[in-house]
């Protein structure tokens, strides 16, 4: 059983080891996520079937928007989720799909990670509820549950699962910041099904700096 990546030091170590192993094999992260020899289609989710942990219910997928919708230099982005069942007992959603009550495998969006055309993370951002059809939980509930985010038993390239899990835990302070800012925006009345607002908060990411801070 793999050790939990619940400290930034453990996350930094796991991310560094996974990155070095990928380099040694000559296959960086995105070549492990996107199908080789097949054109990538806008909006399609990769890998096919998403990355879903049978143990934790955590999930992720990668996709790309048209250039007009993307930030300059952005190739696409990962979305990271926990299931509703991972939220703390008694936690109440801020908003959710209006047509149903929460089910255990319904999703809670943690954050999205933008990836540059060179394959490096450049930003983290949050979305309005409708963008991923999530149950939108307040920042404290998501952050309390973040230790449960683990993709290392998912049916995906093992180094990719390790890297993505480690990246989320390494970025915990950044994720906390954008979730808190998201909630502040929602408190102004923007949110729910307001289609004029998709991204609610965003922050730049420098992995080298985050790794240095974690040591």
């Amino acid at each position: 059983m793999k050790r939990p990546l619940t400290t930034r030091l453990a996350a930094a170590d796991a991310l560094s080891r996974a990155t070095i192993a990928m380099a040694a094999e000559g296959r960086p992260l995105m070549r492990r996520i996107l199908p080789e020899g097949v054109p990538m289609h806008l909006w399609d989710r990769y890998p096919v079937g998403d990355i879903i942990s049978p143990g934790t219910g955590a999930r992720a997928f990668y996709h790309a928007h048209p250039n007009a919708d993307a930030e300059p230099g952005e190739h696409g982005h990962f979305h990271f989720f926990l299931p509703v069942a991972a939220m703390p007992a008694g936690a109440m959603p801020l908003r959710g799909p209006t047509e149903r009550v929460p089910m255990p495998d319904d999703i809670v969006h943690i954050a999205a990670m933008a990836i540059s055309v060179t394959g490096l993370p450049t930003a983290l951002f949050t979305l309005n509820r409708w963008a991923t059809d999530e149950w939108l939980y307040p920042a404290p509930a998501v952050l309390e549950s973040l230790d449960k985010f683990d993709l290392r038993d998912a049916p995906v390239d093992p180094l990719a699962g390790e890297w993505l899990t480690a990246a989320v835990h390494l970025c915990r302070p950044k994720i906390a910041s954008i979730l808190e800012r998201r909630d502040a925006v929602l408190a102004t009345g923007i949110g729910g099904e307001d289609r004029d607002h998709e991204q609610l908060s965003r922050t730049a990411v420098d992995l080298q700096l985050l790794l240095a801070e974690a040591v």
Side-chain angles (χ1 to χ4, degrees):
M1 183 175 180
K2 297 195 178 218
R3 61 176 178 170
L5 300 182
T6 53
T7 69
R8 294 187 69 209
L9 182 58
D13 181 63
L15 189 141
S16 297
R17 289 176 181 273
T19 301
I20 291 169
M22 288 180 187
E25 294 178 5
R27 291 183 64 225
L29 175 67
M30 297 313 300
R31 284 181 57 191
R32 298 166 189 268
I33 298 297
L34 300 176
E36 293 197 44
V38 179
M40 179 181 175
H41 297 286
L42 295 175
W43 297 109
D44 283 2
R45 289 154 63 148
Y46 298 94
V48 175
D50 297 355
I51 305 168
I52 304 175
S53 162
T56 66
R59 65 176 60 200
F61 68 82
Y62 184 83
H63 74 174
H65 293 191
N67 288 339
D69 296 338
E71 296 291 321
E74 181 180 323
H75 177 271
H77 48 265
F78 286 98
H79 288 283
F80 301 119
F81 304 91
L82 282 169
V84 165
M87 294 297 104
M92 297 297 293
L94 298 173
R95 294 179 177 84
T98 57
E99 73 278 5
R100 66 181 191 273
V101 298
M103 301 297 290
D105 59 350
D106 278 348
I107 56 172
V108 178
H109 190 247
I110 299 169
M113 176 179 282
I115 302 294
S116 73
V117 293
T118 59
L120 295 174
T122 58
L124 288 162
F125 58 93
T126 65
L127 298 171
N128 217 334
R129 193 219 68 80
W130 56 266
T132 52
D133 195 30
E134 70 163 308
W135 285 88
L136 199 159
Y137 276 76
V142 180
L143 294 169
E144 184 178 337
S145 305
L146 198 57
D147 286 352
K148 300 175 184 177
F149 183 85
D150 198 327
L151 300 172
R152 291 177 296 172
D153 66 342
V156 68
D157 177 275
L159 288 175
E162 182 92 12
W163 195 98
L164 292 169
T165 301
V168 167
H169 290 287
L170 182 65
C171 290
R172 179 186 285 266
K174 294 275 190 181
I175 291 172
S177 173
I178 59 172
L179 285 174
E180 290 161 0
R181 284 161 47 202
R182 178 206 68 179
D183 287 3
V185 172
L186 290 169
T188 68
I190 294 172
E193 308 311 312
D194 182 354
R195 302 297 168 122
D196 291 331
H197 297 87
E198 182 175 8
Q199 287 192 29
L200 298 183
S201 59
R202 188 179 184 99
T203 189
V205 168
D206 181 334
L207 274 190
Q208 291 291 344
L209 181 58
L210 289 172
L211 286 168
E213 290 174 348
V215 175

